[in-house]
Amino acid sequence: MEWGGASGILPFRQFVLKVHSRCDLACDHCYVYEHADQSWRGRPKMMSSDTIVRTAERIAEHVRRHDLKQILVVMHGGEPLLAGPDVLAEVATELRGRISESCDLDLRIHTNGILLDDRFCDTFAAQGITVGVSLDGDRLANDRHRRYADGRTSYPQAVRAVERLRRQPELYAGLLCTIDVANDPIAVYEALVALRPPRIDFLLPHATWDAPPPRPSATAYADWLITIFDRWEADGRPVAVRLFDSIIATTWGGASLTEAIGLEPSNLIVIETDGSYELVDSLKVVHDGAPATGHHVANESLDEVAAHPGVRARQGGLESLAAACRACPVVTSCGGGLYTHRYRAGSFDNPSVFCADLFKLIVHVREGKTVRAHALPYDAIDAIAGGFGEARDVGLLMESQQSLRRALIVAVRAKAADETAWELLTRVEEDRPEMLDAVLAHPYIRVWAIGCLEGGGGPAHLANVAAAAAVRAGLDARLQVEVVDGRVHLPTAGTLTGVPGDAATLVIENGRVRLDGQAATWHPVRHLTSGGFSVLLEDSDPYRDCHQWRPLPRLSDAEAALWQESFDQAWQLIERDFPSYATGLSAGLTTIVPLTAADSGHDVSSAARHAFGAVAAALPPDPATFALLIIHEFQHVKLGAVLDMFDLYDETDRRLFHAPWREDLRPLEGLLQGTYAHLAVTDFWRTRRHIDPEPAQSQFAHWRAQTAEAIETLAESKALTPLGERFVRRMRDSIAPWLDEEISEAAGAVRAGG
Amino acid sequence: MNTTEDTSAQIASEVRDLQHVPLAQMKTYGDVELGATLRRLMPASPDVARVAVAAFNSSI
């Protein structure tokens, strides 16, 4: 949220334009015509061209002044379709012509659908306008209120409008249903879901303590909504429901998706057909003239309106709520309910007239209906922050990584052209869930998925992931898979080589892999082993090229044998001399990626933030160097996983800091990562000096001084979160006793000389 | 600054535990939980909807 301007106003981001003030229906529950405010009687029926232009100018001015990147404009009524397609197009044209291209204009219309025809739909398609339709459920429910003035039903016309939108799904925004507890909730739900809307919103009828809603029982509205919620859950949440999603989101500390609940400030303003600025529409039920501001587009800017006490009253968050609300255990979800619903005898300083309903509903949704969060015990954080971490601690990081990868897979699924790969994944999970877990644990699945979601690649690799899981699970399957550079890579299973084109049909039968109608050579994955420990030797995955250094192409058998020998010796050394690191490594290191050696002859190694579990390196010259590179890079892997879970520093802090081991200045994350890695490097040389005194003594002296200096830079940065401060203190606790350890005079001299 | 450190408790992440939620039911958990998890990886992703203010009640 951005508060800006000289007066500290919150800029408006939602604009409701009353393009037509009359309606072709006579719904007896309508807040515009049937409640206290009767201002519609004195307003022009339709927004004039002059008012449209002035309104567009005001909004554009506001966007420019506050550099807004996204706004929502809703064409509303009355019934906005009565304005006709030409006027609605004029509104869109005036807005789009005046608002900077750097601002994303989300333009919508909210209608009863009665007049919706091809002309309107063509206009909406041309102008990028999406459509929400009011529908109260099945015919019986809808007919209870939503009728013509002569009592005729409007249901067939409304459903016909929705069916028309379903044929142009890019226009179909969703359905709004005003609740009447006299209606059968399941019949309402089923009728709405049958129309396949992208989203449904259930709206509590507008009421106040002075004009309370019909209430056959103490929590009739909660009971009605809970019936639907339970069915919605049992159905697998087939459609987004804004009210339920908002309760779940706020339960987790997220933002509400509707002003009906939640603590978010309102940034919405209504502009009437005559150009008057009005407060939120629902205030029409409070008293005649309640929404009025006395301001007009011809006279006042939106900044002036934003300073109006009526606008500010809905931006106060928790502090602005009644005392009973502030003390309520569900206030973060409820937020006191819709502002209008709090009104009693001239004051809004009350709980909602729906308080008992909201409380019961929120408690019901929260109880066992939401997914728990990953957590780290503080002793695990302390152990990792100290530079180490037992198998249990690293295992907790791995578990959270698995959830992240599962979330990514679901997100990628939405981009896939068909469901074949997804269906295979779910089939594997039913038969051999441990095999699906093993494949999803592959580090480069996340690299690919992130790239896909950020627009850097396609979802086709999802089929390769599914195929790999099927191969490992021993399931038969046939599906089209991705080919990259002549290879079909099935992560953690193997690679088919010699494949032309971008796609091929893969056949898996009895655990064997072939291509349909094409010859290809199958190369199963190879592993590096030492004793009972094994990691994947990853030299084929097309998504492994994320380590700054170029990965080596597939190794020959002789090259692989060299890696095996080197890894075996390095791991034996780690287990013998660095048991404090071996336990975490054995739990979290899954993959080694061979990199191309540097021309300079320097050691080359890397860890990538999105490739948890992988360490990449050029073949080191000796086992000790290999051990050092693994320990060093796995520090980055661990810290990356911690950062995936928690904020350790202020990401908006753009300052750069001195890192003793580099000539350039580093952002805070870079300094933190480097310091944490060098904490282990220091410890490595600290131990090695007893085995191989030189250069270990000098290296120890060098790195402990630099790491200690960097730790103090971090501690003094004032950019750390409380958890980040704790993390850095643990790093300091580890290095502090090492600073007192004696080193040889020669080593100290090397340090003194830089 | 004096800081009291709790060594027995744990700290919860925004990352939801989806390990035991069957993929076939993942849609059940909707964009809300998945969004909270994905925000940890891609805070600025267009796939992650963020609403910082109260959204208009009478429109979809």
Side-chain angles (χ1 to χ4, degrees):
Chain A
M1 167 193 357
E2 297 161 31
W3 297 79
S7 57
I9 61 162
L10 177 67
F12 294 114
R13 291 168 191 272
Q14 301 173 84
F15 306 87
V16 178
L17 309 190
K18 298 286 188 173
V19 294
H20 202 286
S21 67
R22 304 298 194 268
C23 188
D24 42 6
L25 293 181
C27 311
D28 60 11
H29 60 357
C30 182
Y31 60 81
V32 176
Y33 308 109
E34 303 296 334
H35 286 271
D37 181 82
Q38 292 292 306
S39 60
W40 64 275
R41 294 179 186 277
R43 295 194 198 284
K45 287 183 179 175
M46 200 158 71
M47 194 175 261
S48 68
S49 290
D50 182 55
T51 302
I52 291 170
V53 169
R54 284 174 181 270
T55 299
E57 286 173 347
R58 288 298 188 192
I59 294 174
E61 173 189 55
H62 199 62
V63 166
R64 276 195 308 276
R65 185 168 293 172
H66 298 283
D67 192 24
L68 302 180
K69 299 303 181 193
Q70 184 176 38
I71 61 167
L72 166 69
V73 176
V74 182
M75 293 189 279
H76 214 266
E79 171 46 48
L81 295 190
L82 286 172
D86 292 343
V87 170
L88 300 179
E90 182 185 353
V91 172
T93 302
E94 293 296 341
L95 285 167
R96 293 203 188 281
R98 285 176 165 75
I99 292 171
S100 157
E101 287 183 2
S102 64
C103 177
D104 177 16
L105 171 59
D106 182 354
L107 195 49
R108 305 183 203 176
I109 191 164
H110 178 66
T111 173
N112 60 30
I114 302 299
L115 294 178
L116 191 75
D117 60 13
D118 287 344
R119 244 185 108 207
F120 279 110
C121 287
D122 290 346
T123 298
F124 298 155
Q127 298 288 349
I129 301 169
T130 57
V131 185
V133 178
S134 290
L135 190 72
D136 287 352
D138 59 308
R139 181 166 186 149
L140 191 64
N142 203 65
D143 282 354
R144 194 176 297 279
H145 302 289
R146 307 189 63 78
R147 290 178 175 271
Y148 288 93
D150 61 7
R152 281 180 297 132
T153 176
S154 66
Y155 185 74
Q157 290 86 347
V159 170
R160 190 174 61 219
V162 175
E163 295 293 358
R164 190 183 297 276
L165 291 173
R166 289 179 64 184
R167 294 195 293 275
Q168 286 179 273
E170 72 278 10
L171 303 182
Y172 190 14
L175 301 175
L176 283 117
C177 169
T178 299
I179 298 167
D180 187 323
V181 291
N183 292 327
D184 176 350
I186 295 301
V188 168
Y189 167 81
E190 288 178 343
L192 296 178
V193 170
L195 293 170
R196 306 294 295 270
R199 172 176 281 178
I200 297 172
D201 202 8
F202 293 107
L203 307 177
L204 291 165
H206 288 323
T208 69
W209 289 100
D210 293 345
R215 184 177 290 288
S217 66
T219 54
Y221 292 89
D223 299 337
W224 197 90
L225 284 164
I226 285 170
T227 302
I228 290 180
F229 177 80
D230 288 346
R231 171 64 183 274
W232 179 66
E233 283 280 77
D235 286 352
R237 302 187 193 180
V239 57
V241 176
R242 191 156 69 149
L243 180 60
F244 300 155
D245 285 337
S246 294
I247 295 173
I248 294 166
T250 50
T251 297
W252 291 110
S256 172
L257 309 172
T258 169
E259 66 173 336
I261 63 169
L263 289 168
E264 287 75 20
S266 172
N267 65 355
L268 181 149
I269 194 69
V270 177
I271 300 168
E272 278 288 354
T273 53
D274 63 355
S276 300
Y277 293 113
E278 289 217 331
L279 305 173
V280 63
D281 232 19
S282 58
L283 284 169
K284 290 179 184 297
V285 305
V286 169
H287 59 74
D288 196 20
T293 65
H295 294 333
H296 191 279
V297 290
N299 306 318
E300 283 86 16
S301 71
L302 282 157
D303 271 19
E304 290 171 277
V305 183
H308 187 282
V311 173
R312 289 184 177 272
R314 293 180 292 117
Q315 298 174 340
L318 183 66
E319 294 306 309
S320 68
L321 298 183
C325 292
R326 293 200 301 272
C328 178
V330 302
V331 68
T332 53
S333 284
C334 175
L338 195 69
Y339 183 72
T340 299
H341 296 169
R342 303 173 205 165
Y343 185 77
R344 185 206 299 259
S347 170
F348 291 91
D349 190 19
N350 308 294
S352 168
V353 70
F354 293 101
C355 176
D357 298 289
L358 290 170
F359 186 86
K360 185 173 182 179
L361 174 65
I362 291 166
V363 168
H364 181 84
V365 171
R366 285 183 172 187
E367 280 179 354
K369 299 295 184 187
T370 46
V371 186
R372 80 175 183 91
H374 281 283
L376 278 186
Y378 280 110
D379 61 359
I381 292 174
D382 289 345
I384 293 166
F388 307 104
E390 296 291 323
R392 178 207 69 153
D393 308 325
V394 175
L396 290 171
L397 297 179
M398 290 187 73
E399 288 179 6
S400 67
Q401 290 293 313
Q402 196 69 340
S403 288
L404 289 169
R405 284 188 283 249
R406 291 173 77 85
L408 286 169
I409 287 286
V410 174
V412 168
R413 174 202 180 187
K415 296 185 180 296
D418 68 58
E419 291 281 277
T420 310
W422 181 260
E423 287 165 4
L424 182 56
L425 282 168
T426 57
R427 189 153 63 92
V428 173
E429 187 173 44
E430 285 176 13
D431 279 27
R432 298 288 304 278
E434 74 280 11
M435 289 301 148
L436 177 65
D437 287 345
V439 173
L440 292 185
H442 184 58
Y444 298 98
I445 287 178
R446 172 169 158 180
V447 174
W448 152 72
I450 293 276
C452 178
L453 294 174
E454 292 182 341
H461 192 61
L462 186 66
N464 299 52
V465 175
V471 169
R472 297 193 60 174
L475 296 182
D476 291 351
R478 180 189 185 89
L479 74 169
Q480 184 162 296
V481 291
E482 176 190 54
V483 180
V484 178
D485 297 334
R487 294 162 185 265
V488 174
H489 181 70
L490 307 185
T492 76
T495 306
L496 284 162
T497 59
V499 187
D502 298 326
T505 300
L506 187 78
V507 180
I508 308 167
E509 287 173 329
N510 303 318
R512 299 178 69 86
V513 177
R514 65 177 173 83
L515 295 181
D516 186 25
Q518 301 183 53
T521 307
W522 174 246
H523 303 278
V525 291
R526 290 173 289 193
H527 291 84
L528 303 175
T529 60
S530 181
F533 184 51
S534 170
V535 296
L536 183 68
L537 176 64
E538 184 51 82
D539 59 357
S540 299
D541 191 314
Y543 297 97
R544 74 192 187 286
D545 189 3
C546 59
H547 285 281
Q548 186 179 354
W549 303 91
R550 197 156 45 85
L552 279 177
R554 180 176 171 79
L555 304 184
S556 67
D557 287 345
E559 290 168 329
L562 273 179
W563 277 85
Q564 166 57 37
E565 182 182 356
S566 185
F567 177 78
D568 184 29
Q569 293 172 356
W571 185 253
Q572 288 183 42
L573 188 151
I574 290 171
E575 283 196 313
R576 185 187 66 230
D577 298 339
F578 303 97
S580 300
Y581 296 93
T583 175
L585 280 164
S586 62
L589 179 66
T590 62
T591 306
I592 298 281
V593 173
L595 296 177
T596 305
D599 293 338
S600 64
H602 285 116
D603 297 330
V604 167
S605 65
S606 167
R609 175 69 179 271
H610 289 310
F612 178 88
V615 166
L619 187 63
D622 56 74
T625 304
F626 202 174
L628 172 60
L629 296 183
I630 288 172
I631 290 170
H632 173 134
E633 298 302 341
F634 197 69
Q635 295 294 95
H636 293 307
V637 171
K638 285 187 291 186
L639 181 53
V642 171
L643 291 171
D644 285 340
M645 295 181 76
F646 305 108
D647 294 328
L648 298 186
Y649 58 91
D650 178 4
E651 284 185 300
T652 65
D653 192 323
R654 301 289 179 210
R655 288 176 298 155
L656 298 176
F657 298 86
H658 169 62
W661 47 85
R662 289 179 69 117
E663 292 184 0
D664 56 334
L665 297 175
R666 301 291 291 152
L668 196 82
E669 182 183 359
L671 180 63
L672 179 62
Q673 280 280 10
T675 308
Y676 186 64
H678 285 124
L679 187 65
V681 170
T682 302
D683 196 24
F684 177 88
W685 292 117
R686 174 177 165 268
T687 300
R688 284 292 293 177
R689 71 196 162 128
H690 301 301
I691 303 161
D692 187 12
E694 283 304 333
Q697 294 242 37
S698 304
Q699 289 289 334
F700 172 55
H702 176 75
W703 287 115
R704 74 174 181 179
Q706 296 213 339
T707 305
E709 180 185 339
I711 287 171
E712 295 315 311
T713 303
L714 287 166
E716 293 163 10
S717 68
K718 300 191 186 308
L720 300 174
T721 63
L723 187 64
E725 289 176 348
R726 180 179 183 129
F727 198 93
V728 170
R729 279 199 299 275
R730 293 294 168 265
M731 291 167 62
R732 184 195 279 146
D733 291 345
S734 283
I735 206 166
W738 304 344
L739 294 172
D740 294 333
E741 291 183 13
E742 288 194 5
I743 54 172
S744 69
E745 218 169 276
V750 169
R751 162 60 197 149
Chain B
M1 182 176 67
N2 292 322
T3 307
T4 302
E5 293 187 346
D6 187 346
T7 56
S8 60
Q10 58 184 14
I11 181 168
S13 166
E14 288 174 281
V15 179
R16 306 291 184 264
D17 188 348
L18 304 171
Q19 295 177 97
H20 306 296
V21 179
L23 286 178
Q25 292 180 24
M26 288 283 265
K27 195 66 184 165
T28 298
Y29 290 88
D31 297 335
V32 175
E33 288 95 336
L34 292 176
T37 297
L38 292 173
R39 265 197 296 277
R40 293 299 313 173
L41 300 179
M42 299 178 295
S45 168
D47 293 291
V48 178
R50 278 186 158 169
V51 180
V53 293
F56 182 32
N57 184 50
S58 299
S59 178
I60 280 287

